[in-house]
Amino acid sequence: MLKKKIGNLSTYLSEIAVHGIQEKKGNDIVRLDLRELNSSVSDYFIICNADSATQVKAIADSVEEEIYKNTQTNPWRKEGLDHADWIILDYFDIVVHIFKTEKREFYGIEDLWGDAQSTSYQSA
């Protein structure tokens, strides 16, 4: 469990989300820092992928569980749970994108936000 509060709330939430992804072995974890971009819709995008819909759902559940356990916060909005090709967990300040591998390659979301500072993380 992450107990240390890091910087501001959005940074803290992003670190908790990364931890939740790592717990379920998400692949190619990237955090995009959107705070300096004029057109940003949130402070951070956290992006990862998994090889199956089952793993995509497990990662989403893990992220929700970790964030709730540490902050008692639920996502404002969730999308994509039915097919689990691309699940989005929207916490206003951070948005978590969990893709099936082929969908992540197809949409290329990192390219859309190419000006953002990017940090990569390893799976646990």
Side-chain angles (χ1 to χ4, degrees), residues 44-93:
Y44 294 100
F45 277 1
I46 294 79
I47 305 162
C48 72
N49 57 274
D51 295 327
S52 70
T54 302
Q55 187 182 13
V56 168
K57 286 181 181 179
I59 292 168
D61 290 344
S62 178
V63 169
E64 276 193 82
E65 184 178 300
E66 290 295 322
I67 289 178
Y68 188 81
K69 182 169 53 175
N70 284 278
T71 67
Q72 287 67 57
T73 303
N74 288 309
W76 172 70
R77 188 171 182 131
K78 298 187 269 191
E79 297 287 336
L81 295 171
D82 293 339
H83 299 290
D85 287 337
W86 176 6
I87 292 178
I88 297 172
L89 302 174
D90 185 346
Y91 288 89
F92 287 113
D93 293 333

Side-chain angles (χ1 to χ4, degrees), residues 106-122:
F106 178 79
Y107 286 105
I109 196 168
E110 289 99 327
D111 296 335
L112 296 174
W113 299 95
D115 294 342
Q117 181 182 350
S118 176
T119 305
S120 297
Y121 296 85
Q122 298 296 317

Side-chain angles (χ1 to χ4, degrees), residues 16-54:
I16 296 169
V18 167
H19 177 72
I21 293 167
Q22 290 171 325
E23 287 292 306
K24 297 299 179 184
K25 309 289 188 226
N27 300 320
D28 302 320
I29 306 165
V30 174
R31 180 178 71 179
L32 299 178
D33 185 342
L34 307 173
R35 294 175 295 175
E36 299 297 320
L37 303 180
N38 291 334
S39 60
S40 70
V41 295
S42 67
D43 288 350
Y44 294 100
F45 277 1
I46 294 79
I47 305 162
C48 72
N49 57 274
D51 295 327
S52 70
T54 302

